[in-house]
Amino acid sequence: MDGPKVIRALGALAQEHRLAAYRQLVQAGPDGMAAGALAEALGVPASSMSFHLAQLANAGLVVQRRQSRSIIYSADYGAMNALMSYMTENCCGGAQCSSGSACDSTPTEAKDAA
Amino acid sequence: MDGPKVIRALGALAQEHRLAAYRQLVQAGPDGMAAGALAEALGVPASSMSFHLAQLANAGLVVQRRQSRSIIYSADYGAMNALMSYMTENCCGGAQCSSGSACDSTPTEAKDAA
DNA sequence: CCAATGATTCTATAATTATCGAAATATAGG
DNA sequence: CCTATATTTCGATAATTATAGAATCATTGG
């Protein structure tokens, strides 16, 4: 995952409704959720939800598929893992690392930058 | 780390100059770097750099200390780990997880939310 | 083909964020 | 005390992002 893409991903998540939407999608799992269901769950107008979902999709964090009239969104775990890898590799910069939680230093490059 | 704080941290990192500054600080380690040195390293005017550093500080990602005339910034690894923990815990939502890289599921709460 | 449903795109507007020169503030040294 | 250095704050402006109603597009069922 390269710089610009990381910035887009971080920016996509750095917004109340989008972070909430993403969390909702993670919770929903592979089945995903329809745009309308998300809008209702978050209490956001459909057009606004669409705007936010487009940003998440543009950042590659979610994928969409049409199912009849609905468009189903689901979280792309690969993209999130790539983002986490980038952060992990760049939050300790070769130096020591606080060991406990995140920052477990995956070698150098994520194998899959979606 | 709570929602609003996560959003501020993500937003702080979701910008070219700030991500670059943070990376630079991580690389610099505990010694940190002076504001002016960062500005020069990134090729950004001092006042702009100050603006960005203020955002990183507001998000708790960096700390500052005065050393004579200079103000030295350094990365706060605790905050980054808290952010990573939040993401880790919320990118797999109790469901299964792709195992390999990030997402190694630290129990439930980070002990230190700076 | 027509009406109904689900979603996006358009459009306008508001709000936030970024940029950067100039002025102000703090520290050090002579 | 005065000057130089390091940084921040101010102020004005540009650019980006968010909001939401209205219009449009796609799909389904009768």
Side-chain angles (χ1 to χ4, degrees), chain B residues 24-67:
Chain B
Q24 194 83 39
L25 288 179
V26 164
Q27 201 178 319
D31 286 352
M33 278 178 81
L38 275 168
E40 188 169 18
L42 305 189
V44 169
S47 65
S48 297
M49 190 74 261
S50 191
F51 169 79
H52 291 305
L53 287 171
Q55 305 229 29
L56 286 169
N58 174 260
L61 291 167
V62 304
V63 293
Q64 62 200 116
R65 65 180 195 277
R66 178 176 281 276
Q67 182 173 61

Side-chain angles (χ1 to χ4, degrees), chain B residues 90-101:
Chain B
N90 286 278
C91 83
C92 296
Q96 87 301 342
C97 165
S98 66
S99 75
S101 43

Side-chain angles (χ1 to χ4, degrees), chain A residues 14-113:
Chain A
Q15 208 276 348
E16 182 190 351
H17 297 318
R18 289 195 295 264
L19 183 59
Y22 185 80
R23 298 228 289 147
Q24 194 84 39
L25 288 179
V26 164
Q27 201 178 319
D31 288 349
M33 278 179 81
L38 275 168
E40 188 169 18
L42 305 190
V44 169
S47 65
S48 297
M49 189 75 259
S50 191
F51 168 79
H52 291 305
L53 287 171
Q55 304 229 26
L56 286 168
N58 174 259
L61 291 167
V62 303
V63 293
Q64 61 199 116
R65 66 181 195 276
R66 177 176 282 277
Q67 181 174 60
S68 174
R69 265 165 298 200
S70 296
I71 292 187
I72 310 290
Y73 285 85
S74 50
D76 182 332
Y77 297 99
M80 177 55 83
N81 282 335
L83 174 60
M84 293 295 279
S85 293
Y86 180 96
M87 296 303 282
T88 298
E89 287 158 32
N90 287 278
C91 84
C92 295
Q96 87 301 341
C97 165
S98 67
S99 75
S101 43
C103 282
D104 63 353
S105 71
T106 304
T108 304
E109 263 293 326
K111 64 282 151 185
D112 178 29

Side-chain angles (χ1 to χ4, degrees), chain B residues 72-107:
Chain B
I72 311 290
Y73 285 86
S74 50
D76 182 332
Y77 298 99
M80 176 56 82
N81 283 334
L83 174 60
M84 293 295 279
S85 293
Y86 180 95
M87 297 304 281
T88 297
E89 287 159 31
N90 286 278
C91 83
C92 296
Q96 87 301 342
C97 165
S98 66
S99 75
S101 43
C103 282
D104 63 353
S105 72
T106 304

